[in-house]
Amino acid sequence: MTESIRFHEKYNFRKIFLDSIYKLSPIYLAKNNPVMFVVILGFFITAIMLIIPGQIPKYEINFYLAVSLTLFFAVWFSTFSEAFSEYEAKARVDSLKIFEKEIIAHKITNDHYIEVKSNSLRQGDRVLIKKGEIVPTDGFIIDGSAYMDESMITGESEPVYKNKGDHVIGGTKVIEGEIKVEITSERGRSFVDKMISLVSQAKRPKSQSEISLNILLSGLSLIFLIVAGTLYYILKSLGYTYVNIALIIALLVALMPTTIGGLLPAIGIAGISRLTRDNIIAKSGKAIEAASDADIILLDKTGTITEGNRAAIEFIPLDNFDVRCVAITSYLSSFNDNTREGKSIIDLIESMKIEIPDKIIDITLMSKPIEFNIKNRYSGIEISNPSKIMNYIKDEKICMKFMEILREYATKGENIKILKGSVDALLPHINNMNKEEIEKIVRDIGEKGETPLLLTINTKAVGIIVLKDRIKTGIKQVISDLKVMGITPIMVTGDNPITAKVIANEAGIDHIISQAKPIDKLNKVDEEQRKGHVVIAMGDGTNDAPALAKADVGVAMNSGTRAAKEAAIMIDLDSNPSRVVKIIELSKQLLVTRGAVTTFSIANDISKYFTILPMILVLNNPKISYLNILHLTTPETAILATMIFNAIIIPVLIPLALRGVRYKPENPRKTFIKNFLIYGIGGALLPFIAIKLIDMLLAILMGVK
């Protein structure tokens, strides 16, 4: 496979040029850009009058030609900016197609490696990836570490360090190191597949605000068309004989908001493109618009606020059990548990150098596993033939109290369930000690921000497994940024209220929903929406799907379930929930950019009005020459200078449309005032300066004194 190619390093300007010429079609412009449709009509009218003999006096031919050319270039610069934006988005996707090529992967099967084609890999398969090899498809690292080349995603050549638990993207390359990866996506659903599907975003459905702005621009175009047409006949009837079609068209174009009309398509496409560059898929423009208006966000605690990798850190014995006995019981309840929490319990036992007898290991193989489910909230094993088990382990030197309990149930002929799970789920069935005593221990654990798991043998409490989950690095700043932007974060967790409060306080969150069931998240979304709030919900599980679908903006993790990703309107391909701030920032940046360019365009139009209209009237009425505040040379140079400025301002602002107006989390009012000062007042002053300079240059070139 070839090295990754950064899409922005080379542009096919021939393709961009041809596409921009195609978009000059009046039919295309009428459907997509009403402002530029009027401008192209002005070009055709002046061009036709130039072609037909006798339509224009000889002394006006050069003026008509100049107006016609500036009209053409004004439209072409607009279509060029749109074509350029579309190409940038498509070129990124095209560059990813090299990663669709089938490669050979080293699949791990029964501790052996077999070579398979990458398209045969399925979710849950494990592969070995060595130095210099390509990741066959998306997954997470289960062992090892490596420096990865992710330039195909980020455009940055700096290698990224990846360790156990980190996600890797199909098509990225191992620069140094060796990793074992568990596959999380099947063929057709990987990062590359999703990115390639974004080609359609170049022809995306417009968001509601973009549709509204287009309607406004269409209405303004119609109004100014009527005003310009009426003004032409009024001036002619008043004896302004030198007033001609080209001059009126120039006035019309100067009055119309051509800058925003020319850049609006590019701003929308570039906004979607910026999201994809940050590995966020937006299924529609409505998602971006809603994210920018959000004022409530529901965040899961585990995996969002915290690292999500709760690990066992301590065993607390109960009812005169000792630590070794608790460890052995924990081993039995966790042997079949493939979750990270379950594995961390085994790791803790090993780190404490507690040896598990071989016959105890055999018990797990002879027992029925009890898998965790959201309803019961516990897992472990069930021994259906305790007498046989007792005979098998009777000579083992295992914890005496453990053996006594097994013997008691074996004598009764009862099945034995060795479970670990939620204290709330298991505590009601305990009869060997005071429940208030256990609750006190649980509260003490919760007050430290740790999570307790109760360990039981049928109705006997054996001990408590203490899990610790740290808050994510930088999450405090994320929460702070959300608050500054006027967004209220609400933490949703299945933990008890005490533990939830400790974590929330540490992260800076004021609103909590603890001991939450899946339906609680959906109900909270519905409750906030009925209050008139715009809600963002984040999740990665099937149980999150209803809330993701109900929320104004549902954000799913790429590592999540298919149901979650189908229900969500946005997908974070990096599966980094704390990047919700980036989603909101990019969404707000798109709207702020659109607003800034609109403000700039309208301010421009006001200034251009004061450069053209006085110069139209001054020849027939010298008394109003005081309105020529810029002391422009002649009506012709003033009009041409205004038209030239009107045309060149569009390509000058293309980089701004593509990059977006700089945005940082702050009070919306502060953002509005800042942008008004820069793009409103600046947009009003710039035309005066630029038109005066262009007028002086034209006067020199035309030999006017």
Side-chain angles (χ1 to χ4, degrees):
M1 182 173 285
T2 61
E3 295 288 339
S4 61
I5 300 172
R6 280 173 280 174
F7 73 95
H8 56 273
E9 290 183 345
K10 185 177 180 181
Y11 292 103
N12 186 341
F13 284 104
R14 181 176 180 274
K15 188 178 186 310
I16 295 172
F17 174 78
L18 292 175
D19 194 30
S20 68
I21 295 299
Y22 164 77
K23 293 178 185 297
L24 288 172
S25 162
I27 297 174
Y28 177 85
L29 291 173
K31 290 180 180 179
N32 298 280
N33 199 328
V35 174
M36 288 301 151
F37 173 69
V38 174
V39 179
I40 200 72
L41 286 183
F43 161 72
F44 283 125
I45 291 170
T46 53
I48 290 170
M49 292 181 72
L50 281 166
I51 294 170
I52 300 175
Q55 291 294 312
I56 305 170
K58 288 185 179 180
Y59 64 87
E60 290 184 352
I61 289 178
N62 288 337
F63 177 71
Y64 267 79
L65 180 61
V67 170
S68 183
L69 288 174
T70 53
L71 289 172
F72 172 81
F73 280 107
V75 182
W76 180 63
F77 288 149
S78 168
T79 60
F80 182 85
S81 73
E82 182 180 355
F84 191 89
S85 302
E86 288 184 358
Y87 179 83
E88 189 174 62
K90 291 179 181 179
R92 173 174 175 76
V93 175
D94 290 341
S95 71
L96 294 173
K97 289 185 178 179
I98 62 171
F99 297 102
E100 283 192 298
K101 293 181 180 178
E102 191 175 278
I103 63 172
I104 299 300
H106 309 295
K107 183 178 177 182
I108 303 172
T109 306
N110 298 326
D111 295 328
H112 296 289
Y113 303 111
I114 59 172
E115 292 189 347
V116 299
K117 293 181 178 180
S118 57
N119 65 1
S120 69
L121 293 172
R122 296 292 179 265
Q123 188 172 347
D125 288 346
R126 299 184 173 191
V127 295
L128 174 70
I129 307 167
K130 301 177 182 179
K131 178 180 177 180
E133 295 182 342
I134 302 295
V135 178
T137 190
D138 301 357
F140 67 88
I141 299 174
I142 57 174
D143 190 29
S145 60
Y147 281 96
M148 308 294 297
D149 175 9
E150 293 190 341
S151 57
M152 53 82 75
I153 304 172
T154 63
E156 299 294 333
S157 58
E158 185 73 21
V160 179
Y161 181 72
K162 298 278 188 175
N163 204 347
K164 185 177 179 180
D166 290 334
H167 284 271
V168 289
I169 302 298
T172 56
K173 184 177 182 180
V174 175
I175 300 298
E176 189 65 47
E178 183 175 294
I179 52 177
K180 292 179 181 178
V181 172
E182 183 171 314
I183 302 303
T184 58
S185 65
E186 298 182 6
R187 185 173 178 86
R189 295 177 186 159
S190 69
F191 168 87
V192 174
D193 297 313
K194 292 184 178 74
M195 291 299 290
I196 289 173
S197 72
L198 291 178
V199 173
S200 61
Q201 292 295 347
K203 297 178 176 62
R204 74 203 190 291
K206 293 181 174 67
S207 67
Q208 189 58 49
S209 66
E210 196 171 351
I211 292 171
S212 300
L213 187 54
N214 263 315
I215 293 172
L216 174 63
L217 295 178
S218 300
L220 288 174
S221 300
L222 180 60
I223 291 170
F224 291 137
L225 188 61
I226 295 170
V227 169
T230 304
L231 184 63
Y232 174 75
Y233 287 103
I234 290 174
L235 292 177
K236 279 289 189 180
S237 65
L238 292 175
Y240 289 78
T241 55
Y242 56 85
V243 173
N244 56 45
I245 296 295
L247 191 148
I248 290 298
I249 289 174
L251 176 63
L252 171 62
V253 172
L255 286 173
M256 290 170 57
T258 51
T259 306
I260 182 61
L263 292 173
L264 186 59
I267 292 170
I269 295 166
I272 294 288
S273 183
R274 282 195 296 276
L275 279 170
T276 64
R277 279 201 295 271
D278 281 272
N279 300 334
I280 300 163
I281 293 178
K283 295 181 181 178
S284 79
K286 293 180 181 178
I288 303 172
E289 193 168 304
S292 69
D293 293 331
D295 55 357
I296 296 286
I297 180 167
L298 269 60
L299 301 165
D300 280 323
K301 177 184 78 71
T302 305
T304 304
I305 308 299
T306 64
E307 294 285 354
N309 300 327
R310 293 191 300 187
I313 60 170
E314 184 184 4
F315 296 125
I316 300 177
L318 299 174
D319 193 30
N320 297 320
F321 282 91
D322 60 29
V323 172
R324 182 171 181 272
C325 197
V326 175
I328 289 173
T329 310
S330 298
Y331 182 90
L332 288 167
S333 70
S334 305
F335 183 82
N336 294 304
D337 187 349
N338 290 320
T339 66
R340 294 187 183 183
E341 291 178 6
K343 292 175 182 177
S344 77
I345 293 170
I346 306 298
D347 292 340
L348 177 60
I349 294 170
E350 292 177 356
S351 69
M352 296 173 69
K353 301 190 183 306
I354 297 175
E355 186 177 347
I356 305 297
D358 290 340
K359 289 187 177 181
I360 290 294
I361 298 174
D362 292 341
I363 289 178
T364 63
L365 301 175
M366 293 185 285
S367 304
K368 176 185 175 182
I370 299 174
E371 295 184 359
F372 178 88
N373 66 64
I374 197 68
K375 183 178 179 181
N376 296 330
R377 293 185 294 160
Y378 57 70
S379 63
I381 61 170
E382 181 175 6
I383 301 172
S384 57
N385 195 338
S387 299
K388 183 178 179 181
I389 294 294
M390 285 303 302
N391 289 332
Y392 182 67
I393 64 172
K394 63 182 179 179
D395 297 327
E396 284 289 331
K397 293 182 179 180
I398 306 172
C399 166
M400 289 181 59
K401 196 167 181 63
F402 176 81
M403 295 295 287
E404 287 175 6
I405 292 175
L406 291 189
R407 193 175 293 111
E408 176 187 340
Y409 288 114
T411 302
K412 295 178 181 178
E414 293 183 18
N415 288 358
I416 299 172
K417 290 183 179 180
I418 301 176
L419 305 173
K420 70 173 190 309
S422 165
V423 176
D424 293 337
L426 296 176
L427 187 60
H429 308 291
I430 298 302
N431 62 14
N432 66 322
M433 63 181 297
N434 191 308
K435 294 178 182 178
E436 286 74 17
E437 185 180 344
I438 296 176
E439 288 172 346
K440 182 181 182 304
I441 296 172
V442 167
R443 280 196 301 271
D444 292 340
I445 293 169
E447 286 172 359
K448 294 187 289 185
E450 299 165 349
T451 303
L453 294 180
L454 187 58
L455 185 65
T456 67
I457 302 176
N458 282 13
T459 59
K460 311 293 184 183
V462 176
I464 291 176
I465 304 168
V466 181
L467 304 177
K468 177 70 174 178
D469 191 4
R470 296 171 298 177
I471 70 166
K472 284 192 170 184
T473 303
I475 194 66
K476 288 183 182 179
Q477 186 60 48
V478 168
I479 300 302
S480 176
D481 289 344
L482 288 171
K483 289 180 176 179
V484 169
M485 290 187 286
I487 299 169
T488 302
I490 300 175
M491 188 178 81
V492 183
T493 176
D495 275 340
N496 62 75
I498 298 173
T499 301
K501 187 174 181 181
V502 171
I503 297 296
N505 288 341
E506 195 174 347
I509 297 176
D510 304 316
H511 303 274
I512 312 164
I513 302 176
S514 58
Q515 295 179 325
K517 298 179 178 64
I519 191 65
D520 295 329
K521 193 171 184 178
L522 173 62
N523 290 340
K524 186 62 178 177
V525 171
D526 184 57
E527 177 190 335
E528 295 298 337
Q529 286 176 329
R530 280 189 275 108
K531 292 178 183 177
H533 296 295
V534 178
V535 181
I536 297 177
M538 301 188 70
D540 57 3
T542 301
N543 58 312
D544 293 321
L548 293 174
K550 176 67 175 172
D552 298 280
V553 183
V555 182
M557 302 298 103
N558 190 37
S559 58
T561 63
R562 180 180 178 183
K565 287 185 279 191
E566 287 182 352
I569 201 167
M570 282 190 180
I571 300 174
D572 177 10
L573 296 174
D574 284 341
S575 300
N576 182 359
S578 65
R579 293 193 47 220
V580 65
V581 171
K582 176 61 73 174
I583 292 174
I584 296 169
E585 283 182 359
L586 289 171
S587 300
K588 286 185 179 294
Q589 185 188 44
L590 175 59
L591 291 192
V592 168
T593 301
R594 192 182 294 155
V597 176
T598 302
T599 302
F600 184 88
S601 180
I602 293 172
N604 264 225
D605 296 336
I606 295 171
S607 299
K608 289 181 285 186
Y609 173 81
F610 283 105
T611 61
I612 287 188
L613 190 59
M615 298 306 292
I616 292 176
L617 303 175
V618 74
L619 282 181
N620 215 52
N621 192 354
K623 292 180 180 180
I624 63 170
S625 60
Y626 64 89
L627 292 177
N628 183 15
I629 57 177
L630 294 181
H631 300 289
L632 300 176
T633 311
T634 67
E636 288 80 6
T637 59
I639 292 167
L640 289 178
T642 304
M643 296 298 294
I644 291 171
F645 171 80
N646 195 65
I648 64 174
I649 196 63
I650 294 175
V652 167
L653 290 178
I654 287 177
L656 178 68
L658 297 179
R659 185 182 64 250
V661 173
R662 188 175 180 181
Y663 175 82
K664 66 177 182 179
E666 61 184 6
N667 187 285
R669 183 178 179 182
K670 185 178 179 181
T671 301
F672 172 79
I673 293 172
K674 183 174 64 179
N675 286 338
F676 177 78
L677 292 174
I678 296 173
Y679 298 99
I681 297 176
L685 294 177
L686 179 62
F688 288 124
I689 299 169
I691 290 170
K692 176 62 178 176
L693 293 174
I694 298 171
D695 176 82
M696 293 169 62
L697 180 62
L698 288 174
I700 295 171
L701 294 175
M702 296 169 65
V704 179
K705 296 183 181 180

